[in-house]
Amino acid sequence: MPKIMDKRDRAALFRLRLAEAMARRGMTQAALARACGVDRSTLSALLSPSVRMPNAQLAADCAAALGVSSDWLLGLSPRPEPVADLLATSLTITEAPRALIDETIFGWHREAAGYKIRHVPATLPDMLKTREMVDWEYAPQLGRSAGQAIGAFEDRLAWMRGARSDYEIALPLHELDAFAEATGYYRGLPAEVRAGQIDRLVELCEQLYPSLRLCLFDARRVFSAPVTVFGPLLAVVYLGRSYIAFRDAARVQAMTEHFDWLVREAEVGARDAARHLRALKLRL
């Protein structure tokens, strides 16, 4: 049950926060009184030691004039920002261009350097792809600039591998099945490219474990949209044309728990991923 604050303590906190907000804005009692449409004496009484509290209208007017939330002034919230500002800070929607690791994604990786990164990719994870796979997948969109873009992509992958971040990747089993069979998204992908890509996945899973962990889940039992959790800093959901990025601790933690659930429920754990991939190659 929430603790009920004594009226004297709440009044003292209100006075403290009101004075603090006025000082931050450089606003005098007279200026605040004019902004709120009240007499200066009314504000003076609120700022004087007493148990007097403002009514809801005056609290809202003071908060609006000072650019803070009335909940914060009244001791109901630890954050002074208005709700709209908190939402704008904690949730952003940015464009997701059709490109190898774009500037936004790379910036998030740099910000989270040293933290564990949890990733559910939309297809095979870009950071584990061979150059031949990347060329087949992106050359039609990149055109003449494909070689330059792929070179820059490889430079960024080298930076990511040296950033001391652990990577845990959860991939649905059907994605690898479609890849091995060249169906769906991978229709037309040559067998030699698929074989080379599987060899690359096996090599990385064995060489980089435990800093790289790949697990495979059955999407008929558990499901996930494409999402990446950058340590405790932010969680990003991929929509296709856009990224939705959350920075508030509660949502980042919720998505972290979602990812950890995928790992617990995985059909193939990180220790067995290489073995599963080798068996998959036999189907080519």
Side-chain angles (χ1 to χ4, degrees):
M1 181 176 180
K3 183 180 179 181
I4 298 177
M5 185 181 293
D6 183 84
K7 183 177 181 180
R8 290 167 296 184
D9 295 335
R10 191 178 299 281
L13 182 59
F14 174 81
R15 291 195 302 273
L16 177 66
R17 290 184 170 179
L18 182 62
E20 178 184 335
M22 291 170 62
R24 286 181 182 175
R25 299 281 287 197
M27 186 173 286
T28 64
Q29 288 187 33
L32 182 57
R34 288 194 300 271
C36 296
V38 297
D39 294 333
R40 181 178 174 179
S41 59
T42 301
L43 283 181
S44 295
L46 289 175
L47 288 165
S48 300
S50 69
V51 295
R52 183 173 181 180
M53 292 287 292
N55 58 33
Q57 181 65 45
L58 183 53
D61 290 342
C62 286
L66 294 169
V68 297
S69 72
S70 54
D71 279 355
W72 178 74
L73 284 178
L74 296 169
L76 301 175
S77 168
R79 299 288 297 271
E81 301 93 337
V83 172
D85 291 350
L86 283 173
L87 287 175
T89 301
S90 64
L91 186 153
T92 56
I93 301 177
T94 58
E95 184 182 359
R98 175 63 175 170
L100 296 172
I101 302 178
D102 62 80
E103 291 300 327
T104 301
I105 284 286
F106 189 54
W108 288 330
H109 278 279
R110 284 185 294 189
E111 183 182 351
Y115 287 111
K116 182 176 181 179
I117 295 175
R118 298 166 169 88
H119 182 42
V120 181
T123 59
L124 294 184
D126 281 344
M127 66 177 297
L128 305 184
K129 290 174 181 174
T130 62
R131 185 182 182 93
E132 292 75 18
M133 179 68 195
V134 169
D135 185 67
W136 176 85
E137 191 171 12
Y138 287 95
Q141 288 77 33
L142 297 174
R144 293 181 179 179
S145 63
Q148 181 180 357
I150 291 172
F153 168 71
E154 290 176 331
D155 290 342
R156 291 179 177 183
L157 289 187
W159 179 92
M160 289 164 63
R161 292 186 185 115
R164 303 181 309 281
S165 291
D166 287 347
Y167 285 86
E168 190 163 19
I169 299 170
L171 193 64
L173 283 163
H174 72 258
E175 190 71 29
L176 283 177
D177 289 340
F179 173 79
E181 297 162 4
T183 58
Y185 179 83
Y186 304 100
R187 184 178 301 276
L189 181 60
E192 62 270 20
V193 176
R194 285 178 277 143
Q197 179 62 72
I198 291 177
D199 287 341
R200 179 63 171 159
L201 291 173
V202 170
E203 176 187 7
L204 292 175
C205 285
E206 291 183 335
Q207 287 185 356
L208 301 182
Y209 182 88
S211 60
L212 171 67
R213 294 170 178 261
L214 174 66
C215 68
L216 308 172
F217 62 89
D218 184 352
R220 292 172 298 180
R221 293 182 54 250
V222 295
F223 175 78
S224 179
V227 60
T228 306
V229 184
F230 294 88
L233 305 179
L234 75 157
V236 180
V237 178
Y238 176 60
L239 296 181
R241 294 184 61 188
S242 306
Y243 301 115
I244 301 181
F246 301 90
R247 287 188 176 272
D248 59 298
R251 286 177 175 80
V252 173
Q253 180 60 32
M255 293 193 195
T256 299
E257 292 173 359
H258 164 76
F259 184 92
D260 291 345
W261 168 70
L262 291 176
V263 173
R264 288 195 304 272
E265 297 294 324
E267 290 290 313
V268 179
R271 292 181 181 274
D272 298 318
R275 184 185 313 156
H276 180 86
L277 288 163
R278 285 196 180 93
L280 196 66
K281 187 178 178 181
L282 299 176
R283 296 164 50 184
L284 297 183

